[in-house]
Amino acid sequence: MVAGPTGSTVPRRQLGRNLRELRSRARLTVRAAARKLEWSEAKMWRIETGQTPLRSLDVQAMCFVYGAPSDLTEALMGLAKETKARGWWHAYGDVIPEGFDVYVGLEEAATRLATYENEVVPGLLQTERYAREIIRVHLRGISEEELEGRVRLRVERQSLLTRVTDPPELRVALSEAVLRRPIGGDGVMVEQLAHLIYMSGLPHITVRVVPFLAGAHAGLVTGPFVILRFPLNGDGNDSEPPTVYADGYTGGLYLDKPREVQQYEQAFEGTWETALDERASRVLIAEVAGSYGQG
């Protein structure tokens, strides 16, 4: 696979999965493999989950310990070279949250994204002023320089939605609370809600609002999350396992086991069905936008 705009994220995940499978076939635990390689278990975990680039020589050592055939070893050593590719977001290395580079790479590679938000507008749909307020609250005491760097990073991520070639399909389910929570003042909210209406008019973006009157729904239990799906191979199978990302206050959680992904997909579809349709959602967003500044 060519790294391309996804940087090293996808090759790292592919390499990690292959090495994990080789270790399992060799009937070695993470601890046993780490001992043989004279590495820490934490390093093994980072490699197998695609959290870190890997040298070809390290791959060769792992394949030797696992008893991998020479042709597979060579292929994986070649893949290791792709894990050093740099995506555009590496230019923001001084402000990108730790570990979030993995998510940005997956986001760039995804063909379909489905997200539920119950508190704030998703990052891909935030205006600059709205994003600035969210980041300022999240990171109290942050310098103005770092604040502006993080805002630029968030805005740069959004370019994937308007790129000319194959922008991803985006489905967004928003709690009504997102619209009614006044972040940054009336002017910021009017601008933000107008942006939501505009973006929801693009053919590959659908925004639905889950009204308060919908009552209980799955999103109340799950909290916010994103489901990412990736291009299909020639045989019709996923080129990368679908992945769920849940962003927390101290870091993100990645889930890609089929059962976990299925549970979140069911939660999203259940929430999606309780939401207003696209037209009614745009009407509600416009009504709430009109209420700002009238109180």
Side-chain angles (χ1 to χ4, degrees):
M1 166 172 276
V2 178
T6 65
S8 63
T9 300
V10 171
R12 274 171 15 203
R13 279 171 42 110
Q14 291 175 334
L15 182 59
R17 281 199 307 277
N18 278 283
L19 292 171
R20 184 171 65 243
E21 289 172 7
L22 284 174
R23 177 180 58 76
S24 296
R25 289 177 194 166
R27 299 179 180 241
L28 289 171
T29 63
V30 170
R31 177 173 294 179
R35 188 180 301 119
K36 285 179 177 291
L37 290 159
E38 299 183 354
W39 294 345
S40 68
E41 292 181 45
K43 179 176 179 177
M44 292 290 298
W45 178 83
R46 289 195 299 271
I47 290 170
E48 292 190 355
T49 55
Q51 301 289 317
T52 185
L54 198 58
R55 298 184 310 160
S56 297
L57 289 177
D58 288 336
V59 172
Q60 185 178 41
M62 295 177 80
C63 287
F64 176 77
V65 168
Y66 300 157
S70 60
D71 57 343
L72 180 56
T73 298
E74 289 180 14
L76 294 181
M77 288 176 69
L79 187 57
K81 294 176 182 176
E82 295 187 34
T83 69
K84 300 183 184 302
R86 295 173 66 85
W88 60 261
W89 53 92
H90 284 86
Y92 295 90
D94 56 337
V95 296
I96 194 166
E98 183 178 357
F100 194 63
D101 61 321
V102 175
Y103 177 77
V104 177
L106 294 177
E107 190 177 67
E108 282 279 333
T111 54
R112 287 179 289 162
L113 301 115
T115 182
Y116 168 70
E117 265 291 355
N118 60 355
E119 297 292 343
V120 298
V121 173
L124 285 178
L125 297 177
Q126 291 178 6
T127 63
E128 284 192 37
R129 291 202 295 168
Y130 186 96
R132 187 172 289 108
E133 292 299 321
I134 295 295
I135 295 169
R136 197 192 305 275
V137 169
H138 182 198
L139 300 170
R140 289 187 178 277
I142 189 174
S143 70
E144 284 299 314
E145 182 180 3
E146 184 175 355
L147 173 63
E148 292 307 314
R150 287 182 179 247
V151 171
R152 288 195 303 273
L153 169 63
R154 188 159 301 184
V155 171
E156 183 71 20
R157 282 173 51 207
Q158 297 171 1
S159 63
L160 70 88
L161 294 178
T162 54
R163 67 190 182 200
V164 176
T165 305
D166 298 325
E169 173 192 311
L170 174 64
R171 291 196 295 164
V172 180
L174 292 178
S175 166
E176 184 177 342
V178 173
L179 312 180
R180 298 191 181 278
R181 180 167 289 106
I183 292 174
D186 291 350
V188 171
M189 288 305 298
V190 170
E191 178 185 57
Q192 176 62 76
L193 298 185
H195 183 64
L196 269 182
I197 293 172
Y198 170 75
M199 294 301 288
S200 68
L202 298 180
H204 55 287
I205 299 176
T206 307
V207 176
R208 288 189 179 184
V209 178
V210 185
F212 292 137
L213 293 178
H217 57 85
L220 296 176
V221 179
T222 64
F225 62 90
V226 184
I227 304 172
L228 305 100
R229 283 192 166 274
F230 304 95
L232 300 179
N233 289 322
D235 57 7
N237 293 320
D238 292 312
S239 59
E240 273 290 294
T243 300
V244 175
Y245 176 78
D247 192 16
Y249 184 65
T250 57
L253 176 67
Y254 297 89
L255 305 170
D256 61 8
K257 294 179 181 177
R259 185 171 178 275
E260 295 170 333
V261 174
Q262 182 182 36
Q263 286 180 308
Y264 273 91
E265 286 181 331
Q266 290 174 344
F268 181 82
E269 294 302 332
T271 302
W272 192 252
E273 290 171 4
T274 67
L276 301 172
D277 64 24
E278 293 90 302
R279 182 180 178 281
S281 294
R282 281 195 290 270
V283 169
L284 178 58
I285 294 170
E287 288 178 354
V288 175
S291 70
Y292 284 104
Q294 295 183 5

